[in-house]
Amino acid sequence: MKKGKKVILYILFAFFATFFNLSTQRLILSFNKSNLFFFIALISGTLIGLIIKFFLDKSYIFFDRKKDFFYVGEKFRLYTIMGIVSTVIFWGTESIFWIIWRKENMRELGAIFGLTIGYLLKYRLDKRYVFNKE
């Protein structure tokens, strides 16, 4: 696949995962906007986004077609570990925006900034350590 097409797909997948991440958060925060629900929303949205992004990246960015349960589990574990750095950036930026403004649109803007930076870093980590074509 040409590099330009891969970049476009990666960005589209990031937007797709971000949409489901933020939609999950918005749904949970529609019940209650307390700090506890914010934390639950943050974790739930992150898990939904992580799962969606993993399978899209695995199949269409890194062309990893193996479906063995233990193999996929190990790749998901590595993918999740690489995601810790990007998640800290994402959660930190989103949380700072939420703490400062306590407004839904600013929280989501912080999430988008954090996810953008995090995804750029995560691609490099995934390419090198997760889907490195051993």
Side-chain angles (χ1 to χ4, degrees):
M1 174 187 302
K2 291 183 178 179
K3 189 174 185 174
K5 185 176 180 182
K6 185 181 273 194
V7 168
I8 290 169
L9 272 180
Y10 192 81
I11 291 169
L12 286 174
F13 295 162
F15 279 123
F16 190 68
T18 299
F19 172 79
F20 280 97
N21 181 327
L22 295 178
S23 295
T24 301
Q25 289 187 34
R26 187 176 276 196
L27 176 67
I28 292 168
L29 288 170
S30 72
F31 295 105
N32 187 314
K33 291 192 180 353
S34 68
N35 289 338
L36 175 62
F37 273 74
F38 173 71
F39 183 70
I40 292 168
L42 205 60
I43 290 173
S44 300
T46 299
L47 287 174
I48 295 297
L50 177 71
I51 292 167
I52 289 169
K53 188 88 168 55
F54 170 74
F55 284 105
L56 289 172
D57 286 353
K58 179 183 179 302
S59 298
Y60 301 105
I61 300 298
F62 299 107
F63 302 103
D64 185 337
R65 303 286 187 230
K66 292 183 184 175
K67 295 182 183 188
D68 174 71
F69 179 78
F70 294 105
Y71 172 84
V72 172
E74 177 62 13
K75 289 295 180 183
F76 186 73
R77 184 184 72 79
L78 290 170
Y79 188 84
T80 302
I81 290 168
M82 296 304 124
I84 291 171
V85 173
S86 62
T87 300
V88 168
I89 293 168
F90 155 51
W91 283 6
T93 308
E94 181 176 359
S95 297
I96 288 167
F97 276 57
W98 176 253
I99 290 165
I100 292 172
W101 287 285
R102 287 279 183 189
K103 297 202 182 280
E104 194 75 22
N105 61 338
M106 293 306 289
R107 177 191 63 77
E108 289 182 353
L109 182 62
I112 291 166
F113 283 155
L115 282 166
T116 301
I117 295 165
Y119 278 140
L120 290 171
L121 177 60
K122 184 149 180 15
Y123 172 78
R124 292 180 181 269
L125 293 171
D126 290 339
K127 183 177 179 181
R128 184 168 185 177
Y129 297 108
V130 181
F131 299 105
N132 56 7
K133 305 282 186 202
E134 302 160 309

